[in-house]
Amino acid sequence: MHVLARPSLERIGGSSLLWEESMRPPAPVPLSAVRLEWQDTAPPANLPLLRAARRCLPRESKAHRYERYSSAMGALARPTLFEDRPSFRLVRTDWSRPGEPLLVFGSGQYFDLIDQNEAVAHELAVATRQAPEASPPWRAVPMRRLLALDPLSLAKRIVLPAVATLTVRRTPDGQGTFFLLYREAGQVATGEGTYGPLPAGMIQPASFSPLAHRKDLDLWRTIMREYNEELLGAPEAKGDSGTEVDYGQPPYSSLNAALTDGSLRVWCLGMAVEPLNLAVCVLTVAVFEADAFDTIFAEAVERNDEGLVVSGPRSNGAITGLPLDDASVNDLPSSRMSSPAAGLLQLALRHRDLLLSGPHQT
C-alpha cells in the first residue's frame, strides 16, 4: 500500500522492510561516523491520528473505550516487559552528508510508540480479517491513510526508533555466521512469535540520572547494553535508582577494546520502516573476528528475558551461528521473520564482500 502511495519507497531485497534514498547513506558507513544531536522540541500532537487510533480500541466499559492502546494492552494482554520508560524521539535526519549522517533526537516516552505502532497494526489486522491476502481500501485503515504519503512523518507523529543489529562472526578463512532471537509470545510488547535481529532495542537512556540521560544518546551504548542483555542474559539496564551504567566494566570494556583494535567493526546502513506497524529502525551490522566473539560471549545464554537465542550448533559449549550465505538465508521461514531481520540479512548478503573483508582490508 505504501509503495503504491509513495513510489520512492522500495523493499529491501526480498523482504518487506521499506526505505528510500533519503533514509540511507550512499554506502555503509562506520557507526562512529553517525552524528547524533539533541534538540529540545515539543512532540507533535496529531489529533486526527489519535482519534483514528481510538476506533480500533476495545471498550473499557459500556460507555467508554480505552483512550490509548497502551492502556488496553496493559489491562487486557500485559506482556512481561511492559514499562513506559523515557525514550529518544527522532526529530530530523540527514543521510546525505558524505561519511557523516546526522540524526537529531528529542524526548519521548515508550508508550507513545505502543499507542501508534500497535494501533496501526491492529487496525490493519481488523481490516483484513476476512481477506488476509487482499489490500484493504484506504477508508478501512484511517490511521494508515493519514500516513500514506509519508510513513516516516517525523513532523506529524512521534517516532521512537530502535536500533537493529545483525551480529556476524567472521572466521579466519573469511566466512561469516549470524544469530537471531526468537521473540516468545507473552514475553515482549512487540514482534512476538517472530525471529528478530540479535541484538535489537529501543534507543533509550539507561538511567534516570539527569547526568546520564544525554550521554546515553549514543547508538553504540544502546547496542552494547543489548548485547549484555540478549546474549549474556544480564538484567535490563534501567538505572531506576539513578545509578549510571559503568561502561568501563566487562562486557562493555571488552566490546570497546575489540572496537578499538579492529577485531570488531560496526557498520550503519541507514534506517527503514516496518510496513505492518510503521516502526522505524536504524540498521547496523556488527562483524566480530571469531576469537574476539568467542572470548566476549563465552558465557552466551540460550534464552533471555525476550526469547530464545538462535545460534546454530554449539561447539564445546560455544555458539557458532548460522551460515551467512544465500542458501541459509533462503531456508529461513519467511513468514516468521521480522522485517528488520529479513531486511538486514538481505543487506548483509548484498555487502558481504565489504563486511567479511577483514579488519585490515576495510
Side-chain angles (χ1 to χ4, degrees):
M1 296 177 69
H2 292 285
V3 173
L4 293 175
R6 187 179 176 95
S8 58
L9 284 174
E10 60 182 3
R11 298 175 184 269
I12 298 178
S15 76
S16 61
L17 195 63
L18 302 175
W19 69 357
E20 61 186 11
E21 189 173 346
S22 64
M23 296 181 188
R24 61 180 185 263
V29 297
L31 185 68
S32 58
V34 182
R35 189 156 60 91
L36 275 59
E37 292 184 357
W38 179 266
Q39 183 174 321
D40 280 313
T41 57
N46 191 325
L47 296 181
L49 193 64
L50 292 174
R51 285 195 293 268
R54 292 193 187 105
R55 292 179 70 252
C56 70
L57 295 179
R59 291 192 177 277
E60 188 175 11
S61 65
K62 289 185 178 181
H64 299 285
R65 290 185 183 275
Y66 282 96
E67 287 291 313
R68 295 167 61 125
Y69 200 96
S70 57
S71 301
M73 179 180 285
L76 304 176
R78 187 182 187 90
T80 301
L81 299 176
F82 194 68
E83 187 176 359
D84 192 19
R85 298 191 58 78
S87 298
F88 294 121
R89 173 175 53 88
L90 194 59
V91 175
R92 182 168 61 87
T93 70
D94 184 354
W95 292 97
S96 66
R97 301 177 177 216
E100 193 185 35
L102 172 67
L103 304 179
V104 180
F105 288 87
S107 60
Q109 290 291 132
Y110 178 67
F111 280 4
D112 290 329
L113 176 144
I114 299 295
D115 292 337
Q116 290 187 35
N117 295 12
E118 295 308 297
V120 78
H122 188 105
E123 175 189 78
L124 183 62
V126 171
T128 58
R129 185 165 43 197
Q130 300 301 323
E133 302 301 322
S135 294
W138 284 110
R139 66 178 180 277
V141 284
M143 286 189 73
R144 197 171 295 271
R145 184 179 68 239
L146 289 168
L147 302 172
L149 297 180
D150 182 9
L152 196 59
S153 299
L154 294 180
K156 294 182 180 179
R157 70 180 181 116
I158 297 172
V159 173
L160 306 179
V163 57
T165 303
L166 180 69
T167 299
V168 176
R169 177 181 179 271
R170 180 185 179 275
T171 56
D173 61 356
Q175 300 301 305
T177 58
F178 66 94
F179 306 85
L180 296 171
L181 178 68
Y182 180 70
R183 299 171 63 82
E184 290 187 286
Q187 295 294 105
V188 292
T190 61
E192 63 176 29
T194 64
Y195 294 93
L198 190 152
M202 300 301 301
I203 304 174
Q204 295 175 311
S207 170
F208 288 154
S209 166
L211 298 178
H213 191 87
R214 299 288 177 83
K215 290 190 292 186
D216 278 341
L217 181 58
D218 185 300
L219 296 178
W220 176 231
R221 283 189 170 190
T222 299
I223 294 170
M224 285 197 295
R225 295 196 304 269
E226 295 297 330
Y227 271 127
N228 195 23
E229 296 162 15
E230 295 186 13
L231 262 181
L232 295 175
E236 185 176 359
K238 297 192 296 185
D240 290 344
S241 64
T243 58
E244 298 183 26
V245 174
D246 186 353
Y247 294 98
Q249 296 294 319
Y252 309 118
S253 57
S254 301
L255 288 163
N256 279 323
L259 195 63
T260 298
D261 67 25
S263 57
L264 165 61
R265 298 167 303 287
V266 187
W267 300 91
C268 182
L269 290 79
M271 67 182 190
V273 177
E274 298 184 54
L276 174 62
N277 55 16
L278 302 185
V280 175
C281 55
V282 177
L283 303 173
T284 64
V285 179
V287 183
F288 291 81
E289 294 301 299
D291 286 347
F293 182 91
D294 295 346
T295 299
I296 296 171
F297 300 113
E299 303 297 327
V301 298
E302 297 184 14
R303 178 191 294 271
N304 59 44
D305 288 343
E306 297 181 14
L308 301 173
V309 175
V310 180
S311 59
R314 293 198 171 222
S315 176
N316 297 320
I319 59 176
T320 56
L322 309 172
L324 181 61
D325 56 36
D326 291 281
S328 292
V329 172
N330 291 336
D331 280 345
L332 294 170
S334 58
S335 63
R336 304 296 293 276
M337 296 293 292
S338 73
S339 54
L344 273 168
L345 284 167
Q346 291 298 318
L347 291 173
L349 292 175
R350 183 184 305 176
H351 298 290
R352 191 172 184 274
D353 290 345
L354 170 67
L355 298 174
L356 298 180
S357 58
H360 305 297
Q361 297 172 277
T362 55

